[in-house]
PDB file of all heavy atoms in Angstrom:
ATOM      1  N   ALA A   1     -42.419 -45.197  -8.694  1.00 46.00           N
ATOM      2  CA  ALA A   1     -42.553 -44.243  -7.573  1.00 46.00           C
ATOM      3  C   ALA A   1     -41.483 -44.001  -6.642  1.00 46.00           C
ATOM      4  O   ALA A   1     -41.182 -42.990  -6.003  1.00 46.00           O
ATOM      5  CB  ALA A   1     -43.897 -44.494  -6.729  1.00 46.00           C
ATOM      6  N   VAL A   2     -40.686 -45.073  -6.588  1.00 48.00           N
ATOM      7  CA  VAL A   2     -39.511 -44.998  -5.600  1.00 48.00           C
ATOM      8  C   VAL A   2     -38.458 -43.954  -6.110  1.00 48.00           C
ATOM      9  O   VAL A   2     -37.684 -43.491  -5.123  1.00 48.00           O
ATOM     10  CB  VAL A   2     -38.951 -46.481  -5.357  1.00 48.00           C
ATOM     11  CG1 VAL A   2     -38.296 -46.854  -6.734  1.00 48.00           C
ATOM     12  CG2 VAL A   2     -37.863 -46.455  -4.250  1.00 48.00           C
ATOM     13  N   LEU A   3     -38.312 -43.798  -7.321  1.00 50.00           N
ATOM     14  CA  LEU A   3     -37.380 -42.816  -7.751  1.00 50.00           C
ATOM     15  C   LEU A   3     -37.862 -41.308  -7.627  1.00 50.00           C
ATOM     16  O   LEU A   3     -37.098 -40.519  -7.822  1.00 50.00           O
ATOM     17  CB  LEU A   3     -37.095 -43.004  -9.302  1.00 50.00           C
ATOM     18  CG  LEU A   3     -36.387 -44.538  -9.545  1.00 50.00           C
ATOM     19  CD1 LEU A   3     -36.187 -44.650 -11.025  1.00 50.00           C
ATOM     20  CD2 LEU A   3     -35.104 -44.637  -8.827  1.00 50.00           C
ATOM     21  N   ARG A   4     -39.171 -41.212  -7.560  1.00 56.00           N
ATOM     22  CA  ARG A   4     -39.668 -39.801  -7.374  1.00 56.00           C
ATOM     23  C   ARG A   4     -39.700 -39.383  -5.999  1.00 56.00           C
ATOM     24  O   ARG A   4     -40.019 -38.118  -5.731  1.00 56.00           O
ATOM     25  CB  ARG A   4     -41.138 -39.729  -8.066  1.00 56.00           C
ATOM     26  CG  ARG A   4     -41.125 -40.023  -9.451  1.00 56.00           C
ATOM     27  CD  ARG A   4     -42.379 -39.619 -10.003  1.00 56.00           C
ATOM     28  NE  ARG A   4     -43.512 -40.036  -9.346  1.00 56.00           N
ATOM     29  CZ  ARG A   4     -44.237 -41.125  -9.703  1.00 56.00           C
ATOM     30  NH1 ARG A   4     -43.794 -41.824 -10.674  1.00 56.00           N
ATOM     31  NH2 ARG A   4     -45.306 -41.534  -8.977  1.00 56.00           N
ATOM     32  N   ALA A   5     -39.363 -40.247  -4.998  1.00 55.00           N
ATOM     33  CA  ALA A   5     -39.546 -39.835  -3.609  1.00 55.00           C
ATOM     34  C   ALA A   5     -38.416 -38.834  -3.341  1.00 55.00           C
ATOM     35  O   ALA A   5     -37.332 -38.821  -3.972  1.00 55.00           O
ATOM     36  CB  ALA A   5     -39.371 -41.052  -2.717  1.00 55.00           C
ATOM     37  N   PRO A   6     -38.524 -37.921  -2.446  1.00 58.00           N
ATOM     38  CA  PRO A   6     -37.464 -36.951  -1.974  1.00 58.00           C
ATOM     39  C   PRO A   6     -36.403 -37.564  -1.105  1.00 58.00           C
ATOM     40  O   PRO A   6     -36.235 -37.252   0.126  1.00 58.00           O
ATOM     41  CB  PRO A   6     -38.279 -35.842  -1.217  1.00 58.00           C
ATOM     42  CG  PRO A   6     -39.401 -36.614  -0.569  1.00 58.00           C
ATOM     43  CD  PRO A   6     -39.683 -37.781  -1.550  1.00 58.00           C
ATOM     44  N   PHE A   7     -35.625 -38.462  -1.607  1.00 57.00           N
ATOM     45  CA  PHE A   7     -34.535 -39.110  -0.907  1.00 57.00           C
ATOM     46  C   PHE A   7     -33.405 -38.209  -0.729  1.00 57.00           C
ATOM     47  O   PHE A   7     -33.183 -37.340  -1.506  1.00 57.00           O
ATOM     48  CB  PHE A   7     -34.110 -40.401  -1.592  1.00 57.00           C
ATOM     49  CG  PHE A   7     -35.049 -41.448  -1.675  1.00 57.00           C
ATOM     50  CD1 PHE A   7     -35.581 -42.037  -2.842  1.00 57.00           C
ATOM     51  CD2 PHE A   7     -35.515 -42.109  -0.433  1.00 57.00           C
ATOM     52  CE1 PHE A   7     -36.507 -42.933  -2.805  1.00 57.00           C
ATOM     53  CE2 PHE A   7     -36.463 -43.043  -0.417  1.00 57.00           C
ATOM     54  CZ  PHE A   7     -37.005 -43.583  -1.657  1.00 57.00           C
ATOM     55  N   ILE A   8     -32.652 -38.343   0.413  1.00 59.00           N
ATOM     56  CA  ILE A   8     -31.425 -37.591   0.673  1.00 59.00           C
ATOM     57  C   ILE A   8     -30.281 -38.536   0.172  1.00 59.00           C
ATOM     58  O   ILE A   8     -30.135 -39.673   0.744  1.00 59.00           O
ATOM     59  CB  ILE A   8     -31.433 -37.273   2.150  1.00 59.00           C
ATOM     60  CG1 ILE A   8     -32.471 -36.412   2.596  1.00 59.00           C
ATOM     61  CG2 ILE A   8     -30.045 -36.510   2.508  1.00 59.00           C
ATOM     62  CD1 ILE A   8     -32.457 -36.104   4.087  1.00 59.00           C
ATOM     63  N   HIS A   9     -29.501 -37.957  -0.705  1.00 62.00           N
ATOM     64  CA  HIS A   9     -28.327 -38.779  -1.152  1.00 62.00           C
ATOM     65  C   HIS A   9     -27.081 -38.322  -0.509  1.00 62.00           C
ATOM     66  O   HIS A   9     -26.771 -37.184  -0.485  1.00 62.00           O
ATOM     67  CB  HIS A   9     -28.310 -38.526  -2.725  1.00 62.00           C
ATOM     68  CG  HIS A   9     -29.453 -39.031  -3.551  1.00 62.00           C
ATOM     69  ND1 HIS A   9     -29.605 -40.298  -3.907  1.00 62.00           N
ATOM     70  CD2 HIS A   9     -30.575 -38.421  -4.086  1.00 62.00           C
ATOM     71  CE1 HIS A   9     -30.766 -40.506  -4.599  1.00 62.00           C
ATOM     72  NE2 HIS A   9     -31.302 -39.223  -4.629  1.00 62.00           N
ATOM     73  N   ALA A  10     -26.296 -39.281  -0.039  1.00 60.00           N
ATOM     74  CA  ALA A  10     -25.062 -38.963   0.432  1.00 60.00           C
ATOM     75  C   ALA A  10     -24.145 -38.423  -0.446  1.00 60.00           C
ATOM     76  O   ALA A  10     -24.017 -38.950  -1.525  1.00 60.00           O
ATOM     77  CB  ALA A  10     -24.435 -40.279   1.189  1.00 60.00           C
ATOM     78  N   PRO A  11     -23.400 -37.394  -0.179  1.00 70.00           N
ATOM     79  CA  PRO A  11     -22.481 -36.713  -1.103  1.00 70.00           C
ATOM     80  C   PRO A  11     -21.320 -37.527  -1.404  1.00 70.00           C
ATOM     81  O   PRO A  11     -20.619 -37.331  -2.508  1.00 70.00           O
ATOM     82  CB  PRO A  11     -22.029 -35.404  -0.437  1.00 70.00           C
ATOM     83  CG  PRO A  11     -22.215 -35.665   1.120  1.00 70.00           C
ATOM     84  CD  PRO A  11     -23.429 -36.683   1.171  1.00 70.00           C
ATOM     85  N   GLU A  12     -20.895 -38.495  -0.566  1.00 74.00           N
ATOM     86  CA  GLU A  12     -19.751 -39.269  -0.696  1.00 74.00           C
ATOM     87  C   GLU A  12     -20.023 -40.766  -0.287  1.00 74.00           C
ATOM     88  O   GLU A  12     -20.843 -40.976   0.678  1.00 74.00           O
ATOM     89  CB  GLU A  12     -18.566 -38.754   0.177  1.00 74.00           C
ATOM     90  CG  GLU A  12     -18.104 -37.251  -0.211  1.00 74.00           C
ATOM     91  CD  GLU A  12     -17.087 -36.827   0.630  1.00 74.00           C
ATOM     92  OE1 GLU A  12     -16.930 -37.470   1.740  1.00 74.00           O
ATOM     93  OE2 GLU A  12     -16.381 -35.926   0.297  1.00 74.00           O
ATOM     94  N   GLY A  13     -19.507 -41.722  -0.988  1.00 77.00           N
ATOM     95  CA  GLY A  13     -19.586 -43.061  -0.606  1.00 77.00           C
ATOM     96  C   GLY A  13     -18.693 -43.495   0.415  1.00 77.00           C
ATOM     97  O   GLY A  13     -17.716 -42.816   0.896  1.00 77.00           O
ATOM     98  N   VAL A  14     -18.855 -44.813   0.879  1.00 81.00           N
ATOM     99  CA  VAL A  14     -18.103 -45.410   1.955  1.00 81.00           C
ATOM    100  C   VAL A  14     -16.614 -45.411   1.510  1.00 81.00           C
ATOM    101  O   VAL A  14     -15.714 -45.122   2.374  1.00 81.00           O
ATOM    102  CB  VAL A  14     -18.569 -46.633   2.416  1.00 81.00           C
ATOM    103  CG1 VAL A  14     -17.704 -47.286   3.494  1.00 81.00           C
ATOM    104  CG2 VAL A  14     -20.061 -46.494   2.925  1.00 81.00           C
ATOM    105  N   ARG A  15     -16.417 -45.828   0.320  1.00 85.00           N
ATOM    106  CA  ARG A  15     -15.037 -45.952  -0.071  1.00 85.00           C
ATOM    107  C   ARG A  15     -14.293 -44.764  -0.234  1.00 85.00           C
ATOM    108  O   ARG A  15     -13.049 -44.636   0.089  1.00 85.00           O
ATOM    109  CB  ARG A  15     -15.103 -46.721  -1.483  1.00 85.00           C
ATOM    110  CG  ARG A  15     -13.651 -46.937  -2.027  1.00 85.00           C
ATOM    111  CD  ARG A  15     -13.823 -47.828  -3.301  1.00 85.00           C
ATOM    112  NE  ARG A  15     -12.416 -48.181  -3.908  1.00 85.00           N
ATOM    113  CZ  ARG A  15     -11.704 -47.467  -4.611  1.00 85.00           C
ATOM    114  NH1 ARG A  15     -12.303 -46.271  -5.100  1.00 85.00           N
ATOM    115  NH2 ARG A  15     -10.527 -47.882  -5.101  1.00 85.00           N
ATOM    116  N   THR A  16     -14.987 -43.644  -0.490  1.00 88.00           N
ATOM    117  CA  THR A  16     -14.417 -42.375  -0.546  1.00 88.00           C
ATOM    118  C   THR A  16     -13.977 -41.879   0.905  1.00 88.00           C
ATOM    119  O   THR A  16     -12.869 -41.332   1.093  1.00 88.00           O
ATOM    120  CB  THR A  16     -15.336 -41.317  -1.067  1.00 88.00           C
ATOM    121  OG1 THR A  16     -15.643 -41.616  -2.452  1.00 88.00           O
ATOM    122  CG2 THR A  16     -14.602 -39.903  -1.159  1.00 88.00           C
ATOM    123  N   VAL A  17     -14.878 -42.251   1.908  1.00 89.00           N
ATOM    124  CA  VAL A  17     -14.544 -41.879   3.315  1.00 89.00           C
ATOM    125  C   VAL A  17     -13.292 -42.630   3.648  1.00 89.00           C
ATOM    126  O   VAL A  17     -12.403 -42.118   4.361  1.00 89.00           O
ATOM    127  CB  VAL A  17     -15.670 -42.168   4.131  1.00 89.00           C
ATOM    128  CG1 VAL A  17     -15.290 -41.980   5.757  1.00 89.00           C
ATOM    129  CG2 VAL A  17     -16.971 -41.365   3.846  1.00 89.00           C
ATOM    130  N   PHE A  18     -13.210 -43.837   3.377  1.00 91.00           N
ATOM    131  CA  PHE A  18     -12.026 -44.697   3.761  1.00 91.00           C
ATOM    132  C   PHE A  18     -10.775 -44.125   3.047  1.00 91.00           C
ATOM    133  O   PHE A  18      -9.663 -44.019   3.758  1.00 91.00           O
ATOM    134  CB  PHE A  18     -12.294 -46.148   3.319  1.00 91.00           C
ATOM    135  CG  PHE A  18     -13.296 -46.903   4.097  1.00 91.00           C
ATOM    136  CD1 PHE A  18     -13.942 -47.978   3.786  1.00 91.00           C
ATOM    137  CD2 PHE A  18     -13.670 -46.344   5.426  1.00 91.00           C
ATOM    138  CE1 PHE A  18     -15.040 -48.573   4.564  1.00 91.00           C
ATOM    139  CE2 PHE A  18     -14.608 -46.980   6.232  1.00 91.00           C
ATOM    140  CZ  PHE A  18     -15.202 -48.127   5.676  1.00 91.00           C
ATOM    141  N   LEU A  19     -10.852 -43.882   1.745  1.00 92.00           N
ATOM    142  CA  LEU A  19      -9.680 -43.348   1.058  1.00 92.00           C
ATOM    143  C   LEU A  19      -9.146 -41.954   1.537  1.00 92.00           C
ATOM    144  O   LEU A  19      -7.909 -41.800   1.683  1.00 92.00           O
ATOM    145  CB  LEU A  19      -9.911 -43.328  -0.422  1.00 92.00           C
ATOM    146  CG  LEU A  19     -10.106 -44.678  -1.029  1.00 92.00           C
ATOM    147  CD1 LEU A  19     -10.346 -44.576  -2.547  1.00 92.00           C
ATOM    148  CD2 LEU A  19      -8.978 -45.638  -0.872  1.00 92.00           C
ATOM    149  N   VAL A  20     -10.026 -41.080   1.856  1.00 93.00           N
ATOM    150  CA  VAL A  20      -9.693 -39.739   2.398  1.00 93.00           C
ATOM    151  C   VAL A  20      -9.083 -39.885   3.740  1.00 93.00           C
ATOM    152  O   VAL A  20      -8.085 -39.275   4.086  1.00 93.00           O
ATOM    153  CB  VAL A  20     -10.917 -38.826   2.405  1.00 93.00           C
ATOM    154  CG1 VAL A  20     -10.605 -37.537   3.090  1.00 93.00           C
ATOM    155  CG2 VAL A  20     -11.471 -38.510   0.997  1.00 93.00           C
ATOM    156  N   THR A  21      -9.771 -40.725   4.621  1.00 95.00           N
ATOM    157  CA  THR A  21      -9.125 -40.934   5.953  1.00 95.00           C
ATOM    158  C   THR A  21      -7.806 -41.626   5.940  1.00 95.00           C
ATOM    159  O   THR A  21      -6.873 -41.393   6.662  1.00 95.00           O
ATOM    160  CB  THR A  21     -10.148 -41.897   6.805  1.00 95.00           C
ATOM    161  OG1 THR A  21     -11.414 -41.300   6.805  1.00 95.00           O
ATOM    162  CG2 THR A  21      -9.596 -42.001   8.206  1.00 95.00           C
ATOM    163  N   LEU A  22      -7.682 -42.509   4.910  1.00 95.00           N
ATOM    164  CA  LEU A  22      -6.376 -43.088   4.673  1.00 95.00           C
ATOM    165  C   LEU A  22      -5.313 -42.147   4.224  1.00 95.00           C
ATOM    166  O   LEU A  22      -4.088 -42.127   4.736  1.00 95.00           O
ATOM    167  CB  LEU A  22      -6.421 -44.238   3.495  1.00 95.00           C
ATOM    168  CG  LEU A  22      -5.223 -44.837   3.034  1.00 95.00           C
ATOM    169  CD1 LEU A  22      -4.456 -45.673   4.118  1.00 95.00           C
ATOM    170  CD2 LEU A  22      -5.474 -45.677   1.817  1.00 95.00           C
ATOM    171  N   ALA A  23      -5.660 -41.157   3.409  1.00 95.00           N
ATOM    172  CA  ALA A  23      -4.755 -40.160   3.018  1.00 95.00           C
ATOM    173  C   ALA A  23      -4.348 -39.283   4.232  1.00 95.00           C
ATOM    174  O   ALA A  23      -3.187 -38.877   4.343  1.00 95.00           O
ATOM    175  CB  ALA A  23      -5.385 -39.290   1.824  1.00 95.00           C
ATOM    176  N   ALA A  24      -5.260 -38.962   5.036  1.00 96.00           N
ATOM    177  CA  ALA A  24      -5.037 -38.060   6.252  1.00 96.00           C
ATOM    178  C   ALA A  24      -4.153 -38.860   7.160  1.00 96.00           C
ATOM    179  O   ALA A  24      -3.219 -38.276   7.855  1.00 96.00           O
ATOM    180  CB  ALA A  24      -6.343 -37.584   6.830  1.00 96.00           C
ATOM    181  N   SER A  25      -4.303 -40.125   7.303  1.00 96.00           N
ATOM    182  CA  SER A  25      -3.523 -40.982   8.149  1.00 96.00           C
ATOM    183  C   SER A  25      -2.064 -41.101   7.807  1.00 96.00           C
ATOM    184  O   SER A  25      -1.168 -41.487   8.482  1.00 96.00           O
ATOM    185  CB  SER A  25      -4.063 -42.366   8.262  1.00 96.00           C
ATOM    186  OG  SER A  25      -5.415 -42.347   8.723  1.00 96.00           O
ATOM    187  N   CYS A  26      -1.856 -40.965   6.436  1.00 96.00           N
ATOM    188  CA  CYS A  26      -0.562 -40.952   5.841  1.00 96.00           C
ATOM    189  C   CYS A  26       0.301 -39.859   6.321  1.00 96.00           C
ATOM    190  O   CYS A  26       1.559 -39.956   6.197  1.00 96.00           O
ATOM    191  CB  CYS A  26      -0.629 -41.129   4.296  1.00 96.00           C
ATOM    192  SG  CYS A  26      -1.066 -42.830   3.745  1.00 96.00           S
ATOM    193  N   MET A  27      -0.271 -38.825   6.767  1.00 96.00           N
ATOM    194  CA  MET A  27       0.564 -37.687   7.157  1.00 96.00           C
ATOM    195  C   MET A  27       1.294 -37.865   8.313  1.00 96.00           C
ATOM    196  O   MET A  27       2.538 -37.648   8.493  1.00 96.00           O
ATOM    197  CB  MET A  27      -0.435 -36.394   7.368  1.00 96.00           C
ATOM    198  CG  MET A  27      -1.106 -35.873   6.122  1.00 96.00           C
ATOM    199  SD  MET A  27      -2.187 -34.583   6.394  1.00 96.00           S
ATOM    200  CE  MET A  27      -1.262 -33.278   7.021  1.00 96.00           C
ATOM    201  N   PRO A  28       0.699 -38.457   9.503  1.00 96.00           N
ATOM    202  CA  PRO A  28       1.635 -38.897  10.567  1.00 96.00           C
ATOM    203  C   PRO A  28       2.605 -39.984  10.178  1.00 96.00           C
ATOM    204  O   PRO A  28       3.775 -40.030  10.847  1.00 96.00           O
ATOM    205  CB  PRO A  28       0.633 -39.396  11.711  1.00 96.00           C
ATOM    206  CG  PRO A  28      -0.652 -38.866  11.256  1.00 96.00           C
ATOM    207  CD  PRO A  28      -0.688 -38.597   9.886  1.00 96.00           C
ATOM    208  N   LEU A  29       2.254 -40.808   9.352  1.00 96.00           N
ATOM    209  CA  LEU A  29       3.093 -41.877   8.795  1.00 96.00           C
ATOM    210  C   LEU A  29       4.380 -41.192   8.202  1.00 96.00           C
ATOM    211  O   LEU A  29       5.493 -41.725   8.496  1.00 96.00           O
ATOM    212  CB  LEU A  29       2.441 -42.773   7.901  1.00 96.00           C
ATOM    213  CG  LEU A  29       3.307 -43.954   7.261  1.00 96.00           C
ATOM    214  CD1 LEU A  29       3.780 -44.742   8.409  1.00 96.00           C
ATOM    215  CD2 LEU A  29       2.399 -44.708   6.274  1.00 96.00           C
ATOM    216  N   VAL A  30       4.149 -40.256   7.273  1.00 96.00           N
ATOM    217  CA  VAL A  30       5.294 -39.529   6.744  1.00 96.00           C
ATOM    218  C   VAL A  30       6.209 -38.984   7.685  1.00 96.00           C
ATOM    219  O   VAL A  30       7.438 -39.010   7.706  1.00 96.00           O
ATOM    220  CB  VAL A  30       4.902 -38.601   5.714  1.00 96.00           C
ATOM    221  CG1 VAL A  30       6.013 -37.879   5.165  1.00 96.00           C
ATOM    222  CG2 VAL A  30       4.163 -39.246   4.588  1.00 96.00           C
ATOM    223  N   ALA A  31       5.571 -38.388   8.702  1.00 95.00           N
ATOM    224  CA  ALA A  31       6.408 -37.733   9.856  1.00 95.00           C
ATOM    225  C   ALA A  31       7.235 -38.795  10.608  1.00 95.00           C
ATOM    226  O   ALA A  31       8.344 -38.598  10.967  1.00 95.00           O
ATOM    227  CB  ALA A  31       5.542 -36.916  10.696  1.00 95.00           C
ATOM    228  N   GLY A  32       6.651 -39.990  10.789  1.00 95.00           N
ATOM    229  CA  GLY A  32       7.348 -41.069  11.408  1.00 95.00           C
ATOM    230  C   GLY A  32       8.533 -41.575  10.653  1.00 95.00           C
ATOM    231  O   GLY A  32       9.600 -41.885  11.142  1.00 95.00           O
ATOM    232  N   VAL A  33       8.281 -41.626   9.286  1.00 96.00           N
ATOM    233  CA  VAL A  33       9.530 -42.000   8.417  1.00 96.00           C
ATOM    234  C   VAL A  33      10.628 -40.908   8.527  1.00 96.00           C
ATOM    235  O   VAL A  33      11.735 -41.285   8.485  1.00 96.00           O
ATOM    236  CB  VAL A  33       8.926 -42.231   6.918  1.00 96.00           C
ATOM    237  CG1 VAL A  33      10.083 -42.476   6.029  1.00 96.00           C
ATOM    238  CG2 VAL A  33       7.914 -43.325   6.950  1.00 96.00           C
ATOM    239  N   VAL A  34      10.198 -39.696   8.666  1.00 95.00           N
ATOM    240  CA  VAL A  34      11.303 -38.774   8.656  1.00 95.00           C
ATOM    241  C   VAL A  34      12.164 -38.833   9.993  1.00 95.00           C
ATOM    242  O   VAL A  34      13.495 -38.806   9.905  1.00 95.00           O
ATOM    243  CB  VAL A  34      10.766 -37.264   8.759  1.00 95.00           C
ATOM    244  CG1 VAL A  34      11.750 -36.247   9.205  1.00 95.00           C
ATOM    245  CG2 VAL A  34       9.997 -37.016   7.425  1.00 95.00           C
ATOM    246  N   PHE A  35      11.571 -39.263  11.142  1.00 95.00           N
ATOM    247  CA  PHE A  35      12.309 -39.341  12.403  1.00 95.00           C
ATOM    248  C   PHE A  35      12.757 -40.643  12.734  1.00 95.00           C
ATOM    249  O   PHE A  35      13.578 -40.831  13.548  1.00 95.00           O
ATOM    250  CB  PHE A  35      11.387 -38.814  13.519  1.00 95.00           C
ATOM    251  CG  PHE A  35      11.066 -37.298  13.549  1.00 95.00           C
ATOM    252  CD1 PHE A  35       9.991 -36.818  13.280  1.00 95.00           C
ATOM    253  CD2 PHE A  35      12.091 -36.507  14.020  1.00 95.00           C
ATOM    254  CE1 PHE A  35       9.699 -35.419  13.126  1.00 95.00           C
ATOM    255  CE2 PHE A  35      12.011 -35.055  13.956  1.00 95.00           C
ATOM    256  CZ  PHE A  35      10.729 -34.641  13.609  1.00 95.00           C
ATOM    257  N   PHE A  36      12.306 -41.811  11.948  1.00 95.00           N
ATOM    258  CA  PHE A  36      12.755 -43.059  12.273  1.00 95.00           C
ATOM    259  C   PHE A  36      13.157 -43.804  11.044  1.00 95.00           C
ATOM    260  O   PHE A  36      13.531 -45.084  11.182  1.00 95.00           O
ATOM    261  CB  PHE A  36      11.456 -43.801  12.889  1.00 95.00           C
ATOM    262  CG  PHE A  36      10.922 -43.239  14.150  1.00 95.00           C
ATOM    263  CD1 PHE A  36       9.634 -42.756  14.217  1.00 95.00           C
ATOM    264  CD2 PHE A  36      11.742 -43.136  15.291  1.00 95.00           C
ATOM    265  CE1 PHE A  36       9.055 -42.141  15.271  1.00 95.00           C
ATOM    266  CE2 PHE A  36      11.268 -42.529  16.353  1.00 95.00           C
ATOM    267  CZ  PHE A  36       9.829 -42.074  16.381  1.00 95.00           C
ATOM    268  N   GLY A  37      13.150 -43.293   9.853  1.00 93.00           N
ATOM    269  CA  GLY A  37      13.886 -43.823   8.789  1.00 93.00           C
ATOM    270  C   GLY A  37      13.086 -44.841   7.958  1.00 93.00           C
ATOM    271  O   GLY A  37      11.983 -45.108   8.151  1.00 93.00           O
ATOM    272  N   TRP A  38      13.879 -45.528   7.167  1.00 94.00           N
ATOM    273  CA  TRP A  38      13.267 -46.561   6.251  1.00 94.00           C
ATOM    274  C   TRP A  38      12.742 -47.694   6.987  1.00 94.00           C
ATOM    275  O   TRP A  38      11.919 -48.348   6.426  1.00 94.00           O
ATOM    276  CB  TRP A  38      14.381 -46.921   5.222  1.00 94.00           C
ATOM    277  CG  TRP A  38      15.596 -47.642   5.831  1.00 94.00           C
ATOM    278  CD1 TRP A  38      16.781 -47.114   6.220  1.00 94.00           C
ATOM    279  CD2 TRP A  38      15.728 -49.124   6.111  1.00 94.00           C
ATOM    280  NE1 TRP A  38      17.639 -48.036   6.656  1.00 94.00           N
ATOM    281  CE2 TRP A  38      17.085 -49.253   6.673  1.00 94.00           C
ATOM    282  CE3 TRP A  38      14.884 -50.116   5.860  1.00 94.00           C
ATOM    283  CZ2 TRP A  38      17.498 -50.468   7.039  1.00 94.00           C
ATOM    284  CZ3 TRP A  38      15.495 -51.338   6.276  1.00 94.00           C
ATOM    285  CH2 TRP A  38      16.719 -51.512   6.834  1.00 94.00           C
ATOM    286  N   ARG A  39      13.268 -48.018   8.174  1.00 94.00           N
ATOM    287  CA  ARG A  39      12.737 -49.170   8.928  1.00 94.00           C
ATOM    288  C   ARG A  39      11.213 -48.860   9.392  1.00 94.00           C
ATOM    289  O   ARG A  39      10.425 -49.735   9.342  1.00 94.00           O
ATOM    290  CB  ARG A  39      13.438 -49.514  10.169  1.00 94.00           C
ATOM    291  CG  ARG A  39      14.796 -50.047   9.780  1.00 94.00           C
ATOM    292  CD  ARG A  39      15.562 -50.649  11.046  1.00 94.00           C
ATOM    293  NE  ARG A  39      16.840 -51.120  10.662  1.00 94.00           N
ATOM    294  CZ  ARG A  39      17.136 -52.303  10.315  1.00 94.00           C
ATOM    295  NH1 ARG A  39      16.036 -53.201  10.158  1.00 94.00           N
ATOM    296  NH2 ARG A  39      18.409 -52.782   9.971  1.00 94.00           N
ATOM    297  N   ALA A  40      10.891 -47.630   9.622  1.00 95.00           N
ATOM    298  CA  ALA A  40       9.449 -47.317   9.885  1.00 95.00           C
ATOM    299  C   ALA A  40       8.540 -47.569   8.522  1.00 95.00           C
ATOM    300  O   ALA A  40       7.509 -47.996   8.677  1.00 95.00           O
ATOM    301  CB  ALA A  40       9.373 -45.957  10.392  1.00 95.00           C
ATOM    302  N   ALA A  41       9.096 -47.189   7.345  1.00 96.00           N
ATOM    303  CA  ALA A  41       8.409 -47.339   6.238  1.00 96.00           C
ATOM    304  C   ALA A  41       8.270 -48.838   5.915  1.00 96.00           C
ATOM    305  O   ALA A  41       7.200 -49.283   5.544  1.00 96.00           O
ATOM    306  CB  ALA A  41       9.107 -46.703   4.961  1.00 96.00           C
ATOM    307  N   ALA A  42       9.319 -49.613   6.099  1.00 96.00           N
ATOM    308  CA  ALA A  42       9.182 -51.109   6.061  1.00 96.00           C
ATOM    309  C   ALA A  42       8.096 -51.751   6.929  1.00 96.00           C
ATOM    310  O   ALA A  42       7.313 -52.532   6.527  1.00 96.00           O
ATOM    311  CB  ALA A  42      10.522 -51.710   6.211  1.00 96.00           C
ATOM    312  N   THR A  43       8.071 -51.206   8.118  1.00 96.00           N
ATOM    313  CA  THR A  43       7.006 -51.695   9.074  1.00 96.00           C
ATOM    314  C   THR A  43       5.680 -51.379   8.588  1.00 96.00           C
ATOM    315  O   THR A  43       4.774 -52.238   8.558  1.00 96.00           O
ATOM    316  CB  THR A  43       7.276 -51.117  10.487  1.00 96.00           C
ATOM    317  OG1 THR A  43       8.604 -51.515  10.888  1.00 96.00           O
ATOM    318  CG2 THR A  43       6.234 -51.741  11.488  1.00 96.00           C
TER     319      THR A  43
END
């Protein structure tokens, strides 16, 4: 009966949320590497 209930399923998992947020966070990181060079990438 638990499978027949009208559950709401999340369209995305927690790991997907983290990875998409990680990809978005890499955009300011790339901009920082442009203005601060390879030492910013190493950090």
Side-chain angles (χ1 to χ4, degrees):
V2 68
L3 297 180
R4 297 198 305 269
F7 293 118
I8 298 176
H9 297 278
E12 297 176 341
V14 175
R15 185 172 182 271
T16 302
V17 174
F18 290 157
L19 292 178
V20 172
T21 307
L22 174 64
S25 303
C26 287
M27 296 176 63
L29 178 61
V30 172
V33 173
V34 170
F35 290 104
F36 303 117
W38 62 269
R39 290 191 182 273
T43 300

